[in-house]
């Protein structure tokens, strides 16, 4: 009797594990990402984003957008074609488990960061990205992201090259941003502590 109930518990645990994300499997899959996104999910390559510390759901949604073709990027297109839903769940959990990149110090242009800080406050970026800019759910972490990538991302939303998920929140936000303000915001966020 004891043996039987142990067997049932074992089956239940296994099926629960099958549905939950597997960080170790995500780590193994992420070897294919390291050449571009960095060994620890912190990118050292121009215009390639860091993934470490991104909210789990944000990473998952972006992979789904790339796979569906609603977010377009030649380099990512080749990568996502073979990813299963399970791979995507595991990758989301793995990158969320890594320590996020820190804001770059020293800040070579604190004046520009001050402008970016004012703009971020005026435009209420924190209402979605949180006070720490760490992001939540399908909203990206933007603190400590690469400056060149932040610039590209904001310009892509503004031009419509990137539509953004959900309620098209970022397309609405970026539409009214002048390039000078985009430059200041990207600089501020890349250096925010
Ligand atoms: C050949 C280089 C390359 C490889 C390999 C690669 N990526 Fe990317 N990835 C990119 C580039 C470039 C972008 C930025 C796309 C853009 O500008 O919109 C990107 C963007 C992303 C984003 C969106 C991040 C954000 O902040 O919006 C995610 C998520 C992502 N990659 C996950 C992965 C995963 C997971 C793998 C491995 C399975 C991987 N990538 C492999 C080049 C690569
Ligand atoms: C109404 C909510 C909302 C507001 C306000 C908002 N964002 Fe976002 N932001 C989002 C969401 C949701 C995403 C992910 C969109 C997607 O799927 O492409 C995002 C994505 C981004 C990205 C892309 C990150 C990446 O890794 O690719 C940047 C950069 C960004 N936001 C900057 C800002 C800045 C700067 C402001 C203020 C000027 C701002 N956001 C205001 C919701 C918001």
């Amino acid at each position: 009797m004891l043996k039987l109930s142990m067997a049932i518990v074992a089956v239940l645990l296994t099926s629960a594990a099958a549905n939950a994300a597997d960080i170790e499997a995500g780590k193994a899959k992420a070897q294919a990402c390291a050449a571009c996104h960095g060994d620890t999910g912190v990118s050292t390559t121009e215009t390639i984003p860091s993934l470490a510390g991104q909210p789990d759901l944000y990473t998952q949604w972006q992979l789904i957008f790339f796979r569906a073709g609603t977010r377009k990027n030649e380099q990512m297109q080749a990568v996502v074609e073979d990813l299963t839903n399970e791979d995507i769940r595991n990758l989301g959990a793995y990158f969320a488990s890594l320590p996020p990149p820190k804001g770059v110090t020293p800040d070579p242009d604190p004046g520009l960061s001050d402008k970016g800080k004012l703009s971020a406050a005026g435009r209420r970026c924190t209402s979605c990205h949180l006070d720490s800019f760490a992001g939540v759910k399908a909203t990206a972490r933007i603190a400590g992201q690469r400056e060149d990538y932040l610039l590209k991302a904001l310009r892509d939303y503004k031009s419509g090259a990137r539509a953004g998920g959900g309620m098209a929140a970022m397309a609405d936000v970026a539409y009214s941003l002048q390039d000078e303000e985009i430059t200041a915001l990207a600089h501020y966020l890349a250096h925010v502590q």
Side-chain angles (χ1 to χ4, degrees):
M1 187 63 195
L2 182 65
K3 245 189 177 162
L4 183 63
S5 50
M6 296 265 286
I8 292 171
V9 168
V11 168
L12 286 177
L13 284 176
T14 326
S15 59
N19 291 322
D22 180 342
I23 292 185
E24 280 308 311
K27 184 178 181 178
K29 201 82 205 172
Q31 283 177 355
C33 326
C36 293
H37 291 283
D39 286 334
T40 57
V42 177
S43 164
T44 54
T45 309
E46 213 176 316
T47 65
I48 296 189
S50 293
L51 305 176
Q54 276 296 1
D56 185 347
L57 278 181
Y58 177 73
T59 298
Q60 290 195 50
W61 274 117
Q62 298 309 309
L63 291 172
I64 287 167
F65 296 152
F66 284 124
R67 197 174 62 180
T70 53
R71 181 171 174 186
K72 291 183 183 8
N73 179 266
E74 244 173 62
Q75 286 172 296
M76 279 305 295
Q77 204 60 50
V79 172
V80 292
E81 268 166 13
D82 302 329
L83 293 183
T84 64
N85 291 343
E86 199 180 355
D87 292 335
I88 289 178
R89 265 200 302 278
N90 296 341
L91 285 162
Y94 170 64
F95 285 111
S97 76
L98 297 175
K102 294 206 170 67
V104 179
T105 50
D107 183 344
D109 191 348
L112 191 55
S113 282
D114 288 345
K115 277 190 199 160
K117 187 176 182 177
L118 269 179
S119 161
R123 302 220 175 241
R124 300 177 185 273
C125 309
T126 57
S127 64
C128 297
H129 289 277
L130 304 190
D131 285 348
S132 60
F133 300 107
V136 60
K137 296 190 179 159
T139 303
R141 162 182 289 277
I142 48 178
Q145 184 54 276
R146 291 183 61 87
E147 185 170 351
D148 47 22
Y149 171 76
L150 289 168
L151 268 177
K152 178 180 187 290
L154 289 170
R155 286 174 178 155
D156 282 354
Y157 286 124
K158 186 174 165 72
S159 73
R162 182 172 168 188
M167 310 284 278
M170 277 311 296
D172 290 344
V173 169
Y175 185 70
S176 63
L177 295 176
Q178 298 304 313
D179 206 58
E180 207 186 338
E181 198 173 354
I182 287 180
T183 305
L185 281 164
H187 187 81
Y188 166 61
L189 292 166
H191 294 88
V192 76
Q193 292 305 308

